[in-house]
């Protein structure tokens, strides 16, 4: 642990203030947030006006959470990430507790048929979002400490999977299949990068098939989603409704877009215009250039994350950076793919853009952690 | 990290990280590619589909303007009603929704469900339903089902002036009469809010407040006088009934301006429920049907003779003692006449005499005169579907044709053309374009357009018109054919006509006639031109006998309406006590001050409506959501329920109205 496995960061960045230790990373995250605030307002104003008689309802909430997220990010970035290694078990324990609490009727807050939120005073927290960070912290520490046995089934693969499973089970029970799959794929990719045997991953994937059959095929609404994905035009009024209206939004946008506020699909044609399908509204109002800009910003963020992982002073830093990058990158990719009909509907938000407090704060936390890794390449707390 | 981590291992870890980064890059490039596919390559058809969904919606028609009579009485109004629509794409359970809807609307379930299953963005379920059902649908709060304010056209006086008004169909589009002719004016700007409809079917950007300021069409003010129209219809109907005729026409015009004060055609229909009447009854026979004018046409032969100086009123013609062969045909008169003056030819209506007068004038001059009186061309009245009549070019006239035309055979005219031509005689020879719409005003009452009297041309000289009038005056003098059309003490100038109808098999019918009287009064100072045509009367068929009495009654009513007083006879001044204002001003009505309904309404009781105008009652009923039934016109005289009863919403209210009686 004592040794910096990488020397090139030594000295040079040691004096830089952590928050601007990686300006590209910070700027792309802030730019995405700015896009998000504008699009949340534009896409939700009609809905908010109808539901709350305040067209800025969602926008105000989002702005509040962005401010909270910025605070969390600044705080996390300023601390040496070495400190977070010690937090792993508390984080895991706390998140697990929260996940279980969510399932208890009366404590967990239900919305749309799923119990996903915990009410803490005036704010409500989605513990599954926090579980992503806790899992990444755990995996980063465990993989870093067991790098030598990275190919071991029992010393690395199974324990990591067990912890991930412990978090996934209560999330599955919420139910939130999208988030469960996110946590599992996060674990798989981190294990893969750490160097686990490909056969283990293959076996797990094979084992997942009957499980997915059970979880997807036998649950009508999920099965419909798969069908809708495969052939949305079959049932435009039913299962294909969402994805078709996403297509229509993107198609209406064209290259230049219809202009901010010009989306017609957001006018209740497109369900959840400000959360899962915010990218469709963005594509309609800002066109291809806007959509491509957002995707490019995410790619910049991913590459800066990979760079941070490569340049980290130790393996914990590497894996922590990797995990945080994955949280943002994987989810961005999956959400965009869903919006464009390349993956079945999952119910995943688009980091930094979609409306949602816990999601925003979690993503800023990830950037904070990345900045901390980037900003503490040469010295230790 | 522990020393167990080999340099090699670190190397592989770095490699896998870079590969991950490249994988992400490939993934995001794929996403951009897909975005190009959707937003550029597939754009056309996606956009078309999107627009089909939210643009191919129903247009919000503004509230149609009101049609007023010349005294601002409402003849056609728009009442607020609601229509039920559905957005099938937003309905997940069409069966269930359809069942509930069909119950609320009392419609067959399959029919409703079928509509809800249509693959369209918008369908009508039921239109212009009564408030009860609208309320029932509203209370169901069904997703994808909504109500739209769609005003319904209401004609408070049912049949009154139905052929002038015409009617507006389901989409508030005028289909007949003034409703059709002035459709764009009445309809106003159709607002294209269609593209602003959201998935819930609500109209976006049209806040509830915007509904109250729904763009409205302009109001149209007719030249027609409702009270006169009512009497004209009553008199005409009585005559048609008396002679078991198949139809009838009546027109009252102001000769100096061409304003039509009344226009009636039978059979009639009720524009509120026009669908229940045969299509045939929609026809405004006064302008669409042509008939041979018969003897009435002789006055225009005389006009040609006077105008061309080929004859004077006293010019003598030998009438062949009732039988005259010409061009292989024999012309008959009803009586045997020897020598008759031109004036007498008109008075006794001699066919032979008229033919001889016409031959003296010559085909070309006759033809030109007829043309100048407006025959053979549309009068350009502001109603749709006008016929031009038949007036063949004079070059094709054989001598026998010329003779026939002189007593109104072989030509065909519309009732309005005939009235217009007679009006030209009354107007000193100047032909005016007849018109039915005085003015168009906007919602706030500002004049948008005013139709001014329009001179078509001079049909005959002024002096000659005077001579002709004197001759026509003789018709209603003792011995003339039109004595039953007298309106004492006013001098009446007119001409009878008894035209044999053409048999469908060819030739003239021996049993079917058109009985006509056309004329004006007072002859010395013409105020009104009146035409009465009775189609195929039974029993009697002479124009003077059948149409004459009706003409007299209508003419008297017209003078009453216009407030014309008998010439210089002090004893007759009794009528002057009546508050009969000139036609252009608001008539003074109501001898009884109506009670203010507000206090009763505040207590939830039926107010005393007596003395209120139709407009006031309609507004009150609309506000209180009462189902109103109106009988008559003028002011309320009786009402049911009685004043003081507890009001319930959607209660039926029946009011009988009567015109204010002068001097009462």
């Amino acid at each position: 642990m004592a040794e910096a496995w990488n020397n090139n960061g030594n000295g040079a960045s040691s004096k830089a203030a952590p928050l601007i230790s990686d300006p590209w990373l910070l700027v792309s995250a802030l730019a995405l947030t700015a896009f998000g605030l504008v699009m949340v307002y534009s896409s939700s104003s009609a809905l908010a006006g109808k539901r709350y008689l305040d067209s800025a309802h969602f926008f105000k909430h989002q702005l509040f959470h962005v401010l909270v997220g910025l605070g969390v990010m600044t705080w996390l970035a300023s601390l040496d990430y070495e400190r977070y290694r010690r937090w792993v078990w508390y984080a895991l324990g706390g998140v697990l507790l929260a996940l279980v609490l969510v399932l208890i009727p009366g404590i967990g807050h239900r919305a749309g048929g799923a119990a996903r939120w915990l009410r803490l005073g005036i704010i409500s927290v989605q513990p599954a979002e926090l579980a992503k960070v806790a899992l990444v912290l755990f995996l980063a520490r465990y993989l870093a400490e067991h790098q030598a046995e990275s190919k071991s089934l029992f010393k690395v693969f199974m324990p990591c999977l067990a912890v991930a499973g412990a978090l996934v089970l209560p999330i599955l029970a919420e139910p939130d299949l999208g988030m469960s799959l996110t946590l599992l794929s996060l674990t798989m990719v981190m294990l893969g990068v750490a160097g686990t045997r490909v056969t283990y991953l293959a076996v797990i994937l094979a084992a997942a098939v009957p499980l997915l059959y059970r979880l997807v095929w036998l649950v009508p609404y999920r099965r419909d989603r798969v069908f809708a994905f495969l052939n949305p035009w079959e049932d435009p009024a039913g299962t294909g409704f969402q994805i078709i209206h996403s297509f229509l939004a993107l198609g209406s946008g064209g290259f230049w877009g219809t202009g901010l506020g010009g989306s017609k699909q957001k006018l209740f044609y497109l369900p959840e215009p400000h959360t899962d399908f915010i990218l469709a509204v963005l594509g309609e109002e800002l066109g291809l250039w806007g959509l491509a800009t957002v995707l490019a910003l995410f790619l910049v963020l991913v590459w800066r994350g990979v760079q941070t992982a490569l340049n980290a002073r130790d393996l914990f830093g590497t894996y922590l950076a990797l995990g945080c990058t994955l949280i943002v990158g994987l989810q961005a990719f999956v959400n965009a793919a869903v919006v464009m009909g390349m993956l079945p509907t999952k119910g995943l938000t688009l980091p930094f853009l979609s409306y949602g407090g816990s999601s925003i704060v979690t993503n800023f936390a990830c950037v904070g952690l990345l900045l901390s890794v980037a900003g503490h390449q040469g010295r230790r707390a | 990290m522990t020393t167990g981590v080999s340099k090699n291992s670190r190397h592989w870890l770095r490699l896998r990280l870079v590969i991950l980064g490249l994988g992400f890059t490939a993934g995001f490039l794929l996403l951009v590619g897909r975005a190009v596919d959707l937003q550029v390559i597939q754009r056309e058809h996606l956009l078309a589909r999107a627009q089909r969904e939210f643009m191919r919606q129903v247009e919000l028609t503004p509230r149609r303007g009101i049609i007023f009579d010349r005294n601002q009485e409402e003849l056609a109004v728009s009442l607020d009603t609601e229509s039920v629509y559905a957005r099938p794409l937003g309905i997940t359970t069409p069966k269930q929704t359809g069942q509930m809807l069909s119950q609320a609307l009392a419609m067959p379930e399959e029919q409703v469900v079928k509509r809800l299953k249509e693959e369209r963005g918008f369908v009508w379920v039921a239109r212009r339903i009564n408030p009860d059902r609208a309320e029932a649908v509203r209370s169901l709060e069904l997703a994808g089902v909504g109500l739209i304010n769609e005003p319904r056209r209401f004609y408070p006086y049912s049949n009154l002036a139905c052929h002038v008004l015409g009617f507006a169909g389901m989409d508030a589009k005028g289909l007949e009469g003034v409703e059709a002719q002035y459709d764009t004016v009445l309809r106003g700007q159709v607002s294209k809010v269609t593209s602003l409809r959201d998935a819930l079917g609500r109209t976006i950007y049209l806040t509830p407040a915007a509904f109250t300021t729904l763009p409205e069409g302009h109001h149209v003010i007719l030249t027609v006088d409702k009270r006169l129209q009512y009497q004209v219809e009553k008199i005409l109907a009585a005559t048609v009934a008396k002679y078991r005729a198949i139809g009838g026409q009546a027109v009252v015009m102001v000769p100096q301006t061409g304003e039509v004060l009344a226009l009636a055609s039978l059979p009639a229909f009720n524009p509120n429920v026009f669908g229940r009447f045969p299509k045939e009854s929609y026809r405004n026979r006064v302008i669409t049907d042509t008939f041979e004018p018969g003897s009435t046409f002789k006055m225009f032969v005389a006009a040609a003779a006077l105008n061309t100086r080929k004859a004077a009123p006293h010019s003598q013609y030998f009438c062949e003692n009732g039988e005259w062969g010409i061009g292989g045909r024999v012309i008959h008169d009803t009586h045997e006449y020897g020598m008759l003056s031109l004036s007498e030819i008109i008075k006794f209506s001699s066919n032979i005499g008229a033919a001889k007068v016409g031959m003296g004038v010559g085909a070309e001059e006759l033809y030109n005169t007829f043309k100048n009186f407006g025959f053979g061309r549309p009068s350009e009245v502001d109603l749709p579907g006008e016929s031009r009549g038949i007036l063949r070019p004079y070059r094709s006239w054989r001598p026998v044709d010329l003779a026939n035309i002189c007593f109104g055979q072989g030509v065909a005219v519309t009732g309005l053309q005939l009235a217009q031509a007679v009006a030209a005689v009354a107007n000193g020879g100047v032909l005016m374009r007849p018109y039915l719409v005085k003015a168009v005003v906007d919602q706030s009452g500002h004049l948008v357009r005013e139709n001014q009297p329009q001179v078509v041309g001079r049909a005959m000289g002024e002096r000659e018109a005077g001579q002709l009038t004197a001759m026509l005056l003789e018709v209603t003098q003792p011995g003339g054919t039109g004595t039953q059309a007298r309106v004492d003490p006013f001098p009446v100038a007119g001409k009878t006509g008894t035209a044999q109808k053409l048999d469908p098999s060819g030739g003239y019918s021996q049993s079917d006639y058109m009985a006509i009287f056309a004329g004006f009064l007072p002859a010395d100072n013409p105020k009104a031109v009146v035409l009465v045509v009775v189609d195929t009367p039974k029993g009697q068929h002479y124009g003077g006998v059948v149409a004459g009495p009706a003409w007299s009654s209508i003419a008297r009513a017209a003078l009453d309406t216009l407030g014309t007083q008998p010439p210089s006879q002090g004893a007759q001044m009794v009528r002057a006590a009546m508050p009969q204002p000139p036609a252009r001003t608001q008539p003074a009505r109501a001898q009884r001050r109506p009670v203010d309904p507000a206090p009763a309404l505040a207590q939830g009781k039926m107010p005393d409506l007596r003395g209120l105008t139709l407009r006031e009652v309609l507004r009150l009923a609309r506000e209180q959501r009462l189902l109103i039934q109106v009988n008559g016109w003028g002011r309320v005289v009786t009402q049911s329920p009685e004043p003081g009863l507890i009001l319930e919403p959607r209660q039926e209210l029946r009011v009988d109205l009567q015109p204010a009686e002068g001097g009462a």
Side-chain angles (χ1 to χ4, degrees):
Chain A
M1 251 195 253
E3 171 215 41
W5 70 292
N6 195 319
N7 294 323
N8 59 356
N10 255 350
S13 63
S14 59
K15 288 199 174 64
L19 197 57
I20 53 162
S21 56
D22 190 340
W24 280 101
L25 180 65
L26 185 65
V27 165
S28 55
L30 292 178
L32 286 168
T33 308
F35 266 107
L37 280 172
V38 172
M39 291 318 299
V40 161
Y41 181 73
S42 172
S43 61
S44 74
S45 54
L47 188 69
K50 179 174 181 276
R51 269 195 215 156
Y52 303 103
L53 303 173
D54 172 12
S55 57
H57 175 90
F58 291 110
F59 174 75
K60 289 176 188 162
H61 278 235
Q62 184 80 343
L63 188 61
F64 169 72
H65 287 115
V66 164
L67 294 176
V68 172
L70 285 172
V72 170
M73 177 182 78
T74 311
W75 177 58
L76 287 174
S78 66
L79 298 179
D80 190 317
Y81 63 91
E82 179 59 26
R83 186 179 291 207
Y84 307 136
R85 185 200 293 268
R86 279 172 255 147
W87 294 2
V88 165
W89 297 113
Y90 305 118
L92 264 186
V95 161
L96 205 56
L97 180 70
L99 284 173
V100 173
L101 281 178
V102 160
L103 296 177
I104 299 171
I107 299 176
H109 177 64
R110 300 185 72 88
R116 292 179 183 173
W117 288 269
L118 265 189
R119 277 261 161 87
L120 299 177
I122 54 159
I123 61 164
S124 61
V125 177
Q126 198 178 351
E129 285 285 346
L130 304 179
K132 289 187 292 196
V133 183
L135 181 63
V136 162
L137 277 174
F138 164 76
L139 287 174
R141 177 172 168 174
Y142 195 84
L143 290 174
E145 286 172 4
H146 297 82
Q147 183 61 41
E149 304 116 318
S150 64
K151 291 192 163 30
S152 161
L153 179 62
F154 295 105
K155 284 191 176 156
V156 172
F157 192 80
M158 293 304 256
C160 289
L161 213 58
V163 172
L167 293 174
V168 162
L169 276 178
I171 293 175
L172 261 184
E174 284 180 359
D176 191 343
L177 185 63
M179 191 65 80
S180 308
L181 288 176
T182 305
L183 288 182
L184 288 175
S185 28
L186 196 68
T187 312
M188 294 301 158
V189 175
M190 284 189 73
L191 282 168
V193 172
T196 195
R197 284 189 194 283
V198 180
T199 43
Y200 302 159
L201 293 174
V203 167
I204 282 292
L205 281 179
V209 169
L211 193 70
L212 279 176
Y213 173 80
R214 162 93 184 71
L215 289 176
V216 174
W217 201 255
L218 299 182
V219 179
Y221 82 91
R222 289 182 186 146
R223 187 168 60 176
D224 285 348
R225 279 183 180 180
V226 175
F227 272 128
F229 159 68
L230 292 174
N231 191 359
W233 303 98
E234 195 100 292
D235 185 10
T239 54
F241 188 80
Q242 208 169 12
I243 192 64
I244 281 181
H245 284 90
S246 182
F247 288 165
L248 295 185
L250 292 170
S252 309
F255 187 83
W256 295 109
T258 57
L260 273 178
S263 165
K264 294 196 176 72
Q265 295 298 328
K266 73 187 179 194
L267 302 174
F268 310 106
Y269 285 106
L270 191 61
E272 310 294 327
H274 60 305
T275 59
D276 297 2
F277 281 83
I278 196 165
L279 202 59
V281 179
L282 187 141
E284 185 178 1
E285 297 194 345
L286 300 182
L288 181 61
W289 73 266
L291 189 57
T293 304
V294 165
L295 292 176
L297 286 170
F298 274 116
L299 197 57
V300 167
L301 210 146
V302 165
W303 269 112
R304 291 316 302 167
V306 169
Q307 204 66 44
T308 306
L310 288 171
N311 294 345
R313 71 169 176 233
D314 53 22
L315 279 171
F316 177 60
T318 298
Y319 286 119
L320 188 59
L322 168 64
C324 289
T325 306
L326 285 175
I327 289 179
V328 176
L330 266 183
Q331 204 161 327
F333 175 80
V334 172
N335 178 279
V338 166
V339 165
M340 292 188 233
M342 297 160 80
L343 282 176
T345 316
K346 284 266 184 16
L348 284 184
T349 54
L350 185 63
F352 298 110
L353 279 96
S354 289
Y355 173 79
S358 299
S359 157
I360 278 287
V361 174
T362 303
N363 288 307
F364 272 116
C366 289
V367 174
L369 292 173
L370 277 170
L371 290 172
S372 174
V373 175
H376 299 88
Q377 291 176 347
R379 63 194 159 85
R380 229 173 297 153
Chain B
M1 192 50 60
T2 56
T3 49
V5 182
S6 67
K7 201 164 170 75
N8 194 33
S9 162
R10 265 185 251 148
H11 185 73
W12 281 108
L13 177 57
R14 295 176 67 85
L15 186 63
R16 284 191 293 267
L17 277 169
V18 171
I19 288 170
L20 180 76
L22 291 173
F24 263 107
T25 309
F28 276 90
L29 283 177
L30 202 65
L31 292 175
V32 172
R34 176 65 168 163
V36 171
D37 173 37
L38 286 170
Q39 301 200 269
V40 178
I41 296 164
Q42 292 197 56
R43 175 176 157 81
E44 285 301 310
H45 101 258
L46 288 174
L47 187 65
R49 196 185 156 95
Q51 286 178 339
R52 206 163 65 227
E53 193 158 273
F54 52 76
M55 279 184 158
R56 198 192 56 186
Q57 311 283 4
V58 171
E59 294 176 338
L60 251 197
T61 36
R63 188 195 313 279
R64 231 177 140 72
I66 298 170
I67 301 179
F68 292 104
D69 88 332
R70 66 188 295 127
N71 300 315
Q72 325 267 303
E73 299 274 357
E74 289 149 325
L75 299 181
V77 296
S78 284
L79 299 183
D80 288 335
T81 54
E82 287 179 296
S83 294
V84 182
Y85 66 88
R87 210 184 53 75
L89 289 180
I91 296 175
T92 42
T93 54
K95 265 232 168 76
Q96 210 183 327
T97 307
Q99 191 194 351
M100 291 168 81
L101 257 187
S102 67
Q103 272 172 13
L105 292 168
M107 283 170 71
E109 193 179 322
E110 317 88 77
Q111 194 186 332
V112 177
V113 173
K114 199 178 146 219
R115 286 204 195 148
L116 298 187
K117 282 184 173 169
E118 279 180 50
E119 278 226 357
R120 289 172 54 186
F122 183 101
V123 291
W124 288 116
V125 180
R127 301 186 66 178
R128 301 200 171 89
I129 55 177
N130 74 40
D132 277 340
R133 298 205 168 131
E135 207 48 57
V137 170
R138 199 191 320 281
S139 65
L140 289 176
E141 293 188 343
L142 295 169
V145 176
L147 290 143
I148 278 185
N149 197 351
E150 250 202 323
R152 185 176 73 87
R153 204 61 166 159
F154 179 60
Y155 303 89
Y157 305 107
S158 302
N159 292 21
L160 187 83
C162 56
H163 291 106
V164 174
L165 298 173
F167 50 83
M170 254 307 177
D171 283 304
K173 183 176 166 47
L175 298 176
E176 292 279 349
V178 167
E179 292 270 35
Q181 187 76 15
Y182 288 83
D183 188 43
T184 47
V185 171
L186 285 163
R187 193 183 331 178
Q189 295 280 314
V190 173
S191 40
K192 296 262 181 186
V193 293
T194 52
S195 56
L196 307 175
R197 202 173 283 281
D198 67 19
L200 304 179
R202 302 178 320 163
T203 312
I204 313 238
Y205 307 147
L206 251 194
T207 55
F211 266 102
T212 59
T213 58
L214 201 67
E216 294 189 33
H218 292 321
H219 301 323
V220 163
I221 299 172
L222 299 181
T223 57
V224 170
D225 184 292
K226 184 192 68 180
R227 296 178 299 165
L228 179 60
Q229 174 76 25
Y230 175 74
Q231 293 177 65
V232 168
E233 286 182 16
K234 210 167 89 177
I235 295 160
L236 183 66
T239 303
V240 165
K242 183 179 175 190
Y243 292 102
R244 288 171 285 129
I246 61 174
Q249 306 176 10
V251 180
V252 180
M253 269 174 71
V254 176
Q256 292 81 9
T257 59
E259 288 167 279
V260 176
L261 294 176
L263 186 154
S265 168
L266 286 174
F269 64 98
N270 179 350
N272 288 315
V273 284
F274 60 87
R276 294 190 206 152
F277 288 81
K279 287 233 159 51
E280 204 181 274
S281 68
Y282 303 164
R283 211 168 70 226
N284 182 356
R285 290 157 189 253
V286 177
I287 59 163
T288 60
D289 286 20
T290 61
F291 55 88
E292 295 202 340
S295 305
T296 54
F297 219 57
K298 287 170 189 164
M299 76 168 95
F300 307 110
V301 177
L306 294 171
N307 217 30
T308 54
R309 310 282 160 88
K310 294 281 165 57
H314 51 81
S315 302
Q316 298 287 311
Y317 292 89
F318 178 55
C319 292
E320 311 279 349
N321 294 317
E323 205 175 293
W324 188 39
I326 177 173
R329 238 199 95 188
V330 181
I331 300 173
H332 295 276
D333 273 340
T334 44
H335 299 279
E336 291 166 20
Y337 302 111
M339 291 302 285
L340 289 179
S341 67
L342 175 57
S343 190
E344 287 166 325
I345 288 172
I346 296 297
K347 177 172 182 178
F348 304 130
S349 199
S350 163
N351 291 344
I352 298 166
K356 287 197 167 177
V357 173
M359 291 168 100
V361 174
E364 185 175 352
E365 291 291 353
L366 271 182
Y367 176 84
N368 288 339
T369 303
F370 296 156
K371 266 286 181 206
N372 289 341
F373 271 101
F375 296 109
R377 60 176 173 180
S379 72
E380 283 168 9
V381 68
D382 40 3
L383 282 178
E386 193 189 7
S387 163
R388 64 189 308 137
I390 299 163
L391 178 66
R392 285 184 290 120
Y394 66 90
R395 281 179 225 281
S396 67
W397 295 356
R398 293 168 296 156
V400 65
D401 295 329
L402 190 151
N404 286 340
I405 286 168
C406 287
F407 46 88
Q409 287 190 348
V411 288
V413 303
T414 67
L416 193 66
Q417 277 177 332
L418 189 52
Q420 182 194 17
V422 173
V425 178
N427 192 31
V430 177
L431 188 74
M432 303 300 294
R433 168 183 168 260
Y435 64 101
L436 282 141
V437 169
K438 253 175 104 71
V440 175
V441 296
D442 68 13
Q443 287 299 312
S444 42
H446 292 121
L447 198 63
V448 174
R449 169 169 136 201
E450 189 170 16
N451 288 345
Q452 298 291 346
Q454 215 176 311
V455 174
V456 180
R458 181 165 277 283
M460 68 188 298
E462 190 168 356
R463 200 177 68 92
E464 289 74 18
Q467 290 174 335
L468 182 56
T469 301
M471 288 158 59
L472 294 173
L473 194 56
E474 286 297 310
V475 172
T476 58
Q477 296 304 312
T481 54
T483 50
Q484 300 198 49
R486 291 177 70 91
V487 185
D488 293 331
F490 301 97
V492 169
K495 182 72 195 80
T496 56
T498 309
Q500 284 172 286
K501 284 183 78 175
L502 282 166
D503 215 313
S505 56
Y508 284 94
S509 162
Q510 291 306 308
S511 59
D512 295 351
Y513 294 84
M514 297 292 266
I516 310 166
F517 195 91
F520 55 90
L521 84 174
D524 51 345
N525 179 23
K527 296 287 187 200
V529 171
V530 179
L531 168 77
V532 173
V533 179
V534 180
D535 186 356
T536 324
K538 308 278 187 312
Q540 292 281 357
H541 60 259
Y542 287 109
V545 176
V546 176
W551 193 97
S552 169
S553 307
I554 289 173
R556 193 177 288 284
L559 289 187
D560 276 359
T561 304
L562 292 167
T564 304
Q565 292 152 20
S568 66
Q569 274 147 317
Q572 301 277 344
M573 292 303 277
V574 190
R575 284 187 157 268
M578 281 171 52
Q580 295 284 6
R584 277 166 193 278
T585 59
Q586 191 84 2
R589 288 170 300 191
Q591 57 284 38
R592 183 183 181 284
R593 272 187 78 84
V595 183
D596 181 13
L601 288 174
Q603 296 172 24
K605 287 180 179 165
M606 174 66 75
D608 189 347
L609 302 173
R610 284 171 296 183
L612 292 181
T613 63
L614 175 75
R615 210 177 329 171
E616 290 160 346
V617 172
L618 283 177
R619 190 189 313 125
L620 190 135
R622 200 150 54 208
E623 283 163 10
Q624 301 299 321
R625 317 188 82 172
L626 302 170
L627 300 174
I628 189 163
Q629 192 189 337
V630 180
N631 295 300
W633 50 275
R635 289 183 179 249
V636 177
V637 286
T638 57
Q639 67 181 99
S640 161
E642 293 287 309
L645 260 80
I646 301 297
L647 262 184
E648 285 163 36
R650 291 183 292 288
Q651 189 169 23
E652 278 203 21
L653 168 65
R654 202 191 126 105
V655 288
D656 296 309
L657 295 93
Q658 264 176 26
E661 282 302 327

